[in-house]
């Protein structure tokens, strides 16, 4: 796409912290499309709903095409002027411009071509030919070695379409044609493949309502089955493709959540008391659901996991407060669940749902509401700072670097109902914190001692060198050894002869 799909920034108005209650407040009207159409907006669509985003996307696309065409015309005029001024290279210049014009025309045609052409009057002949060829030989998508799940979904889809009779046959043909077309469009960007899928959903839904006169409730069921059949087969090609930076975003979010492991429910003003067994069970179920989202292959199934997670959160809040939960209680708790669960490939799943889910599910209903809140929660986590948690910047930096952790609750302040295991856990955490501080002091003292030893060694070495320079050592030549007293005195005649023994008569 020519418009970059970036997460919309949650400004202070949209996600303001109320100092008096230290909570996260988001007005529900701010979750809607910023164009004011009444549908839910989506961060990946820069705050627009699916319908308004596609309108903006097409406007930007046509504008880009027009700019490319104007650039081609300008280059054409420049080449014509250069051609008129120099006649020597007439043949070469004419050939060069001809190739350039052909290239620009092909580029323009490629950009504006979408899956809609399969449903236009001009392409009916080609569609009929494709159907004849399909009757003779199976499509490439059928020839692929399908998994057990793919086979099961295909059988369920065929059984479901039997209840629609003639419309069911046409729907199956259109789905087969779309899958064949997508197999030949692997070189397209993921945004262009998403555009093809959205066009396909829209065209099939319109045909169900206008041509086949299918009731609205059956149209919704049919679109769910179509999405399940299509995306089960396309999942391995369009989920977290290598041509995108989805995996890089996944790692960044995962690393960010790990760095925020110290954030407590009190900092987020989460109205959930996990000491209540029923509430603790609901929290575990919510975390399980948000993690299970990654194991699903169909966008609708992933949305269902988000919805189940959200309902468990509402139940946990209701049990804790003994009253129905409000929207202001839901979002902080959802943020806490995401931080505690750290779901795998979170950004890839959000992008996959955004790109290939039936847009009607994201624009209205509880699925769209919960999905929009999840996107807000992820955006808040990515931009979370000291002010968001009512902390000083110094404390926030120390917590983020792991130098220390927030002070735990003192054992004396526990309610009588708290079990001994929880009290012991907090005591152990306090002890670990104290040991960590002692370890840091020991390390600092050891580094200081090491520096003192190095300085002392350098000082002693310098003093020795100064003394040696001041009092240099003089080595005298070796003197001759004295002759033994009983030797023959050959070299020194001045010595007396050796004493001779004398005998005295007694």
């Amino acid at each position: 796409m020519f418009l970059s799909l970036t997460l919309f920034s949650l400004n202070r108005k949209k996600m303001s912290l109320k100092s008096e209650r230290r909570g996260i407040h988001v007005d529900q009207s701010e979750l809607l499309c910023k164009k004011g159409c009444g549908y839910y907006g989506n961060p990946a669509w820069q705050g627009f709903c699916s319908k308004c985003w596609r309108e903006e996307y097409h406007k930007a696309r046509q504008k880009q095409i027009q700019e490319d065409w104007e650039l081609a015309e300008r280059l054409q005029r420049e080449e014509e002027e250069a051609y008129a001024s120099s006649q020597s290279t007439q043949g070469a210049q004419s050939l060069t411009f001809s190739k350039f014009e052909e290239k620009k025309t092909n580029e323009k045609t490629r950009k504006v071509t979408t899956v809609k052409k399969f449903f236009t009057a001009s392409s009916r002949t080609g569609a009929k030919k494709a159907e004849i060829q399909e009757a003779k030989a199976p499509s490439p998508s059928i020839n692929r070695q399908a998994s057990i799940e793919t086979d099961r979904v295909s059988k369920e889809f065929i059984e479901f379409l039997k209840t629609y009779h003639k419309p069911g046959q046409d729907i199956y043909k259109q789905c087969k044609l779309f899958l064949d077309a997508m197999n030949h469009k692997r070189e397209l960007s993921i945004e262009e493949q998403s555009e093809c899928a959205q066009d396909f959903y829209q065209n099939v839904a319109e045909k169900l309502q206008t041509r086949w006169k299918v009731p609205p409730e059956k149209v919704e069921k049919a679109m769910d089955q179509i999405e399940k059949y299509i995306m089960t087969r396309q999942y391995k090609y369009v989920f977290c493709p290598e041509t995108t930076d989805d995996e890089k975003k996944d790692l960044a979010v995962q690393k960010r959540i790990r760095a925020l492991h110290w954030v407590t429910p009190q900092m987020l003003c989460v109205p959930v008391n996990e000491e209540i067994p029923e509430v603790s069970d609901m929290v575990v179920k919510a975390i399980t659901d948000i993690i299970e989202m990654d194991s699903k292959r169909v966008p609708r199934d992933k949305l269902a996991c988000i919805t189940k997670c959200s309902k468990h959160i509402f139940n946990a809040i209701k049990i804790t407060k003994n009253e129905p939960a409000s929207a202001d209680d839901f979002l902080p708790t959802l943020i806490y669940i995401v931080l505690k669960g750290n779901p795998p490939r979170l950004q890839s799943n959000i992008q996959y749902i955004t790109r290939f889910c039936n847009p009607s599910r994201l624009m209205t209903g509880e699925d769209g509401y919960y999905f929009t809140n999840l996107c807000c929660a992820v955006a808040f986590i990515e931009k979370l700072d000291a002010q968001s948690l009512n902390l000083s910047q110094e404390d926030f930096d120390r917590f983020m670097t792991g130098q220390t952790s927030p002070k735990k609750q003192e054992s004396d302040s526990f309610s009588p109902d708290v079990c001994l295991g929880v009290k012991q856990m907090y005591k152990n955490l306090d002890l670990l914190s104290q040991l960590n501080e002692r370890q840091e002091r020991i390390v600092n003292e050891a580094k200081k001692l090491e520096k003192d030893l190095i300085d002392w060694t350098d000082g002693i070495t310098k003093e020795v060198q100064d003394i040696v320079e001041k009092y240099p050592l003089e080595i005298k030549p070796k003197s001759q050894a004295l002759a033994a007293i009983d030797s023959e005195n050959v070299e020194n005649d001045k010595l007396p002869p050796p004493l001779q023994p004398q005998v005295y008569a007694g």
Side-chain angles (χ1 to χ4, degrees):
M1 289 183 178
F2 297 102
L3 290 177
S4 60
L5 297 177
T6 57
L7 286 173
F8 72 114
S9 60
L10 297 176
N11 52 33
R12 295 300 176 190
K13 292 183 180 180
K14 287 192 174 183
M15 191 167 282
S16 59
L17 293 173
K18 292 187 174 181
S19 58
E20 64 272 12
R21 63 185 296 272
R22 298 183 67 189
I24 302 167
H25 172 71
V26 176
D27 192 276
Q28 296 307 296
S29 62
E30 295 164 356
L31 299 177
L32 301 177
C33 175
K34 66 181 183 181
K35 202 170 182 179
C37 64
Y39 296 118
Y40 289 120
N42 191 305
W45 294 328
Q46 299 181 357
F48 293 103
C49 67
S50 175
K51 181 180 178 182
C52 296
W53 167 249
R54 294 186 69 193
E55 292 176 356
E56 296 294 326
Y57 168 74
H58 283 299
K59 288 180 182 178
R61 198 176 192 181
Q62 294 299 326
K63 181 180 178 182
Q64 184 66 38
I65 293 174
Q66 183 64 28
E67 291 177 354
D68 290 345
W69 190 253
E70 292 175 355
L71 175 63
E73 292 180 345
R74 181 171 61 82
L75 293 176
Q76 179 181 359
R77 289 194 300 269
E78 292 177 356
E79 287 210 20
E80 288 176 350
E81 292 174 359
Y83 172 79
S85 61
S86 59
Q87 298 294 331
S88 59
T89 57
Q90 178 179 358
Q93 290 183 359
S94 176
L95 181 59
T96 301
F97 174 72
S98 176
K99 291 183 178 180
F100 171 80
E101 186 177 18
E102 180 181 359
K103 181 179 180 181
K104 290 303 298 181
T105 303
N106 293 337
E107 181 70 15
K108 178 184 177 182
T109 303
R110 187 188 67 81
K111 289 181 178 179
V112 300
T113 300
T114 63
V115 78
K116 289 183 178 179
K117 70 178 184 178
F118 292 108
F119 306 103
T120 58
S122 60
S123 63
R124 288 175 183 173
T125 304
K128 290 182 179 179
K129 291 181 179 179
E131 292 177 13
I132 295 174
Q133 292 178 356
E134 180 184 0
K136 295 181 180 179
S139 64
S141 61
I142 300 299
N143 286 332
R144 290 199 308 267
Q145 184 178 1
S147 63
I148 297 176
E149 182 180 1
T150 303
D151 293 337
R152 177 181 59 81
V153 170
S154 300
K155 292 178 181 178
E156 291 178 356
F157 185 58
I158 294 173
E159 291 298 323
F160 172 80
L161 292 179
K162 288 181 180 179
T163 60
Y164 283 73
H165 304 294
K166 183 60 170 64
Q169 297 177 6
D170 293 338
I171 292 173
Y172 185 72
K173 289 180 180 179
Q174 296 295 338
C175 291
K176 293 284 290 298
L177 288 173
F178 173 75
L179 289 174
D180 290 343
M182 292 300 293
N183 286 334
H184 294 88
K185 294 180 180 291
R186 299 290 177 220
E187 73 282 357
L188 296 181
S189 66
I190 193 64
E191 288 79 14
E192 291 174 318
Q193 295 184 54
S194 171
E195 187 71 11
C196 291
Q198 298 298 329
D199 285 340
F200 175 74
Y201 291 149
Q202 181 179 351
N203 279 277
V204 173
E206 290 176 355
K207 283 190 175 183
L208 285 171
Q209 295 176 356
T210 58
R211 179 185 298 181
W212 297 315
K213 307 299 181 183
V214 177
E217 61 275 7
K218 295 191 69 175
V219 170
E220 184 177 355
K221 292 182 180 179
M223 293 307 301
D224 289 342
Q225 292 296 325
I226 291 171
E227 176 190 308
K228 184 176 182 180
Y229 175 71
I230 293 295
M231 298 317 303
T232 300
R233 292 178 172 273
Q234 294 294 310
Y235 176 80
K236 64 180 180 180
Y237 302 111
V238 297
F239 181 84
C240 192
E242 296 180 355
T243 56
T244 66
D245 58 350
D246 291 351
E247 184 177 1
K248 182 179 179 181
K249 293 179 180 178
D250 288 335
L251 296 175
V253 172
Q254 191 176 58
K255 183 179 179 181
R256 175 71 172 175
I257 292 176
R258 286 177 178 172
L260 294 170
H261 66 90
W262 50 268
V263 176
T264 63
Q266 292 76 22
M267 293 179 180
L268 297 171
C269 197
V270 176
V272 169
N273 185 4
E274 295 186 66
E275 296 172 3
I276 302 175
E278 295 180 3
V279 175
S280 178
D281 185 53
M282 290 294 174
V283 170
V284 172
K285 289 181 179 179
I287 294 174
T288 303
D289 289 332
I290 198 68
I291 292 176
E292 188 181 2
M293 174 179 62
D294 186 59
S295 65
K296 304 300 182 181
R297 304 180 69 181
V298 182
R300 180 171 62 90
D301 294 341
K302 292 181 181 292
L303 274 179
C305 291
I306 299 173
T307 300
K308 289 192 295 183
C309 169
S310 302
K311 290 183 177 180
H312 288 314
I313 290 174
F314 273 107
N315 289 334
I317 298 173
K318 182 179 179 180
I319 296 173
T320 301
K321 300 180 67 176
N322 199 21
E323 62 181 18
S326 65
D328 289 340
D329 295 330
F330 170 67
L331 183 57
T333 311
L334 179 60
I335 294 172
Y336 173 67
I337 292 297
V338 173
L339 288 175
K340 195 169 183 179
N342 197 358
R345 300 193 292 186
L346 183 57
Q347 282 288 9
S348 290
N349 283 287
I350 290 177
Q351 291 295 332
Y352 177 68
I353 294 172
T354 301
R355 292 163 180 160
F356 296 101
C357 183
N358 185 359
S360 62
R361 283 194 169 273
L362 301 183
M363 294 165 61
T364 57
E366 61 179 8
D367 288 343
Y369 172 77
Y370 294 137
F371 179 71
T372 303
N373 274 273
L374 177 62
C375 295
C376 291
V378 175
F380 177 82
I381 291 172
E382 291 177 336
K383 300 178 183 299
L384 188 143
D385 54 13
Q387 185 178 359
S388 303
L389 301 174
N390 286 348
L391 296 174
S392 65
Q393 188 62 44
E394 180 182 358
D395 289 341
F396 182 81
D397 294 338
R398 290 170 61 200
F399 296 156
M400 289 295 291
T401 56
Q403 295 179 1
T404 185
S405 59
K407 187 177 181 181
K408 302 300 179 182
Q409 196 173 9
E410 298 295 336
S411 59
D412 296 338
S413 62
F414 284 111
S415 63
D417 298 332
V418 178
C419 65
L420 295 176
V422 174
K423 294 181 180 180
Q424 186 63 41
M425 179 186 68
Y426 280 111
K427 289 181 180 179
N428 293 340
L429 290 174
D430 291 337
L431 179 59
L432 288 174
S433 179
Q434 296 174 10
L435 291 175
N436 184 46
E437 293 177 359
R438 289 177 58 186
Q439 180 70 17
E440 290 179 355
R441 289 198 301 268
I442 292 174
V443 171
N444 293 333
E445 291 296 333
K447 291 181 179 179
K448 182 179 178 182
L449 177 60
E450 181 182 9
K451 183 177 182 302
D452 293 342
L453 288 174
I454 294 174
D455 294 341
W456 178 79
T457 303
D458 294 341
I460 294 298
T461 302
K462 187 174 184 305
E463 290 181 5
V464 171
Q465 291 177 350
D466 293 341
I467 293 174
V468 170
E469 293 176 357
K470 186 175 181 180
Y471 305 102
L473 178 62
E474 295 181 0
I475 300 177
K476 296 181 178 180
K478 184 178 181 181
S479 59
Q480 295 181 355
L482 297 176
I485 194 170
D486 56 350
S487 65
E488 296 296 335
N489 296 326
V490 178
E491 298 179 357
N492 195 344
D493 297 337
K494 294 180 180 181
L495 291 178
L499 297 178
Q500 296 294 331
Q502 297 180 7
V503 180
Y504 296 93

